[in-house]
């Protein structure tokens, strides 16, 4: 009952506000992780190591975690390496040449050069430059303070990793939710495209294309979260048993991405046909409408927990029913544009079947 009321309340909100609230909801756990890691890193640096102002510790903890689940381990290592390089270069150089405009430029250039020479990642040079600039402008160079700053960066990075291990984000849940959101968008886009082609409404067809194009950011987020989920399931003992499930979920990334790309091609081709006043065969429009139902089945499959329906086999049965309609005989006497649309529809169905766990050869065989 409460869940239903909450769903109605959220659905009644303006789309822009609903999107912002969803973004905040998805980020609550990473925000909590960053806050906890920052406070804990400061406490350890002050109370365990006796550092008077260890501001590098909470900064390192927050940067190493971030809001994205992906590559946190690498971010921590890069952060510590970049800060250490910047501090060492800044301490050595500023203590010899003094502080000023040209000295700052020289320190930043040298720190970034050393970082780029050692690693091709983007974070190390930025952290090296910012740390060197801090030493050149605000922090006294030399002495034990430089060593403390490097230790503080190490404390922050280690605390960030420990927080992920002890209080991890559910890796499977976030990845499934990302994929389900993309599939929901494609479900609506396919329905809108079918309606637009039936009514010869160029605005609806263009709207479906635009909605499909706007999913690229969500796809990138999905890939990052799937990568981060695999990382969490490797580091945290709480989710070691989820590794196989994460692998299965991650295997859907490429088919979903390819399905969206193929749908964009279909929408772009049919938009051109609609602009020219060319009607698409009703049987093909019906298949596109059925594809909307297929996307919805895939969405519910992604959200279903182990043992719940629909599972991969259930979704594959629905898609096979749709695929059997997309026969080459439909365009035996059709113009080239219509034949090309059916070819893309068949390719889209292959990608959707692969999202259900079928191999490409098995998915293609379904369409013969």
């Amino acid at each position: 009952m409460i869940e239903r009321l909450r769903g109605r309340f959220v659905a009644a909100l303006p789309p822009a506000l609903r999107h912002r609230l969803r973004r905040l909801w998805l980020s609550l756990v990473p925000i909590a992780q960053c806050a906890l890691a920052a406070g804990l890193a400061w406490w350890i640096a002050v109370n365990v190591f006796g550092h008077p102002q260890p501001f590098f510790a909470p900064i390192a903890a927050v940067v190493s975690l971030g809001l994205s689940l992906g590559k946190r381990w690498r971010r921590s290592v890069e952060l510590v390496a970049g800060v250490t390089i910047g501090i060492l270069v800044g301490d050595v150089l500023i203590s010899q040449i003094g502080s000023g405009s040209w000295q700052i430029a020289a320190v930043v250039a040298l720190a970034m050069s050393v970082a780029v020479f050692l690693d091709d990642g983007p974070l190390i040079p930025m952290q090296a430059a910012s740390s060197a600039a801090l030493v050149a402008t605000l922090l006294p160079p030399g002495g034990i303070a430089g060593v403390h700053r490097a230790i503080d960066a190490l404390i922050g990075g280690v605390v960030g990793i420990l927080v992920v291990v002890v209080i991890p984000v559910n890796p499977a849940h976030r990845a499934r939710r990302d994929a389900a959101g993309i599939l929901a968008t494609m479900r609506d886009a396919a329905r809108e495209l079918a309606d637009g082609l039936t009514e010869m409404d160029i605005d609806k067809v263009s709207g479906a294309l635009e909605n499909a194009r706007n999913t690229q950011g969500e796809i990138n987020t999905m890939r990052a979260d799937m990568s981060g989920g695999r990382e969490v399931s490797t580091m945290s003992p709480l989710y070691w048993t989820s590794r196989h499930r994460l692998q299965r979920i991650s295997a859907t990334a490429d088919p979903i991405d390819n399905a969206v790309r193929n749908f964009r091609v279909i929408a772009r081709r049919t938009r051109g046909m609609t602009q020219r006043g060319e009607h698409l065969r009703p049987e093909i429009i019906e298949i596109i409408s059925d594809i909307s139902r297929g996307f919805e089945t895939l969405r519910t499959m992604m959200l279903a927990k182990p043992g719940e329906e629909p599972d991969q086999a259930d979704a594959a049965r629905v898609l096979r029913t749709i695929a059997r309609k997309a026969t080459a005989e439909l365009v035996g006497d059709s113009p080239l544009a219509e034949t090309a649309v059916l070819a893309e529809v068949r390719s889209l169905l292959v990608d959707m079947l692969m999202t259900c766990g079928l191999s490409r050869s098995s998915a293609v065989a379904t369409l013969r």
Side-chain angles (χ1 to χ4, degrees):
M1 180 66 178
I2 295 176
E3 184 69 21
R4 203 161 43 239
L5 290 174
R6 186 181 68 85
R8 290 177 182 174
F9 172 75
V10 172
L13 295 174
L17 179 58
R18 191 163 63 241
H19 175 72
R20 292 173 186 271
L21 288 174
R22 181 176 182 274
R23 184 173 60 203
L24 175 61
W25 174 257
L26 294 177
S27 301
L28 285 180
V29 173
I31 289 173
Q33 288 177 326
C34 289
L36 177 61
L40 186 58
W42 176 275
W43 186 90
I44 291 174
V46 171
N47 294 281
V48 177
F49 289 86
H51 296 175
Q53 289 185 320
F55 56 85
F56 268 117
I59 291 174
V62 171
V63 174
S64 65
L65 288 173
L67 294 181
S68 171
L69 295 186
K71 300 182 179 178
R72 283 178 161 183
W73 173 257
R74 178 174 175 82
R75 279 207 303 270
S76 296
V77 174
E78 289 182 344
L79 176 73
V80 173
V83 169
T84 303
I85 291 170
I87 290 171
L88 293 177
V89 171
D91 277 340
V92 171
L93 203 58
I94 294 300
S95 63
Q96 299 298 318
I97 65 177
S99 183
S101 300
W102 72 267
Q103 290 93 334
I104 293 173
V107 165
V108 169
L110 181 59
M112 293 188 74
S113 298
V114 172
V116 170
F117 176 78
L118 294 176
D119 188 83
D120 63 350
L123 185 57
I124 292 183
M126 292 298 99
Q127 288 301 320
S130 59
S131 300
L134 280 173
V135 171
T137 54
L138 298 178
L139 306 175
I144 196 65
V147 178
H148 283 181
R149 288 191 285 269
I151 294 174
D152 292 340
L154 179 61
I155 291 171
V158 171
V159 168
I161 293 298
L162 289 177
V163 166
V164 171
V165 172
V166 177
I167 313 174
V169 176
N170 186 321
H173 182 61
R174 187 155 176 172
R176 286 164 46 224
R177 192 166 49 193
D178 290 340
I182 296 169
L183 292 167
T185 300
M186 298 311 300
R187 171 201 63 198
D188 297 340
R191 185 183 302 126
E192 185 177 21
L193 179 61
D195 292 343
L197 293 172
T198 300
E199 302 165 10
M200 291 296 287
D201 187 332
I202 187 62
D203 291 334
K204 285 188 176 181
V205 175
S206 298
L209 174 59
E210 190 63 25
N211 290 336
R213 283 174 171 168
N214 289 339
T215 59
Q216 193 56 52
E218 297 176 55
I219 291 172
N220 296 339
T221 299
M222 176 189 70
R223 287 186 176 278
D225 285 345
M226 287 179 175
S227 174
R230 291 195 302 271
E231 188 176 282
V232 170
S233 67
T234 299
M235 292 191 301
S236 176
L238 298 175
Y239 289 106
W240 282 350
T241 57
S242 301
R243 291 178 188 175
H244 178 70
R245 191 173 181 217
L246 256 297
Q247 290 174 352
R248 190 173 69 249
I249 293 172
S250 298
T252 65
D254 285 341
I256 290 175
D257 192 354
N258 292 335
V260 173
R261 294 176 188 274
N262 272 318
F263 182 86
R264 291 173 190 160
V265 175
I266 294 168
R268 192 165 58 247
R269 287 185 182 279
T270 53
R271 183 180 64 174
M273 293 179 64
T274 305
Q275 287 172 333
R276 295 190 299 269
E278 300 175 12
H279 290 263
L280 191 66
R281 191 181 293 267
E283 293 86 350
I284 299 179
I285 297 177
E286 181 182 349
I287 295 171
I288 294 174
S289 180
D290 289 341
I291 284 173
S292 173
R293 178 167 56 90
F295 276 125
E296 172 60 17
T297 303
L298 291 176
R299 186 191 72 83
T300 53
M301 178 198 77
M302 293 300 302
L303 292 177
K305 297 177 181 179
E308 292 183 349
E309 296 180 349
D311 57 14
Q312 289 184 316
D314 296 327
R317 279 193 291 272
V318 172
L319 291 171
R320 285 192 180 100
T321 302
I322 301 171
R324 281 193 283 269
K325 298 180 181 180
T327 60
E329 287 75 12
L330 284 178
V331 291
D333 57 350
S334 296
L336 180 60
E338 194 169 63
T339 303
V341 169
L342 180 62
E344 292 295 339
V345 166
R346 286 164 63 88
S347 182
L348 169 59
L349 286 167
V350 168
D351 295 325
M352 295 174 74
L353 284 164
M354 290 179 67
T355 305
C356 299
L358 272 69
S359 66
R360 175 165 288 277
S361 58
S362 298
V364 171
T366 304
L367 289 163
R368 289 176 182 168

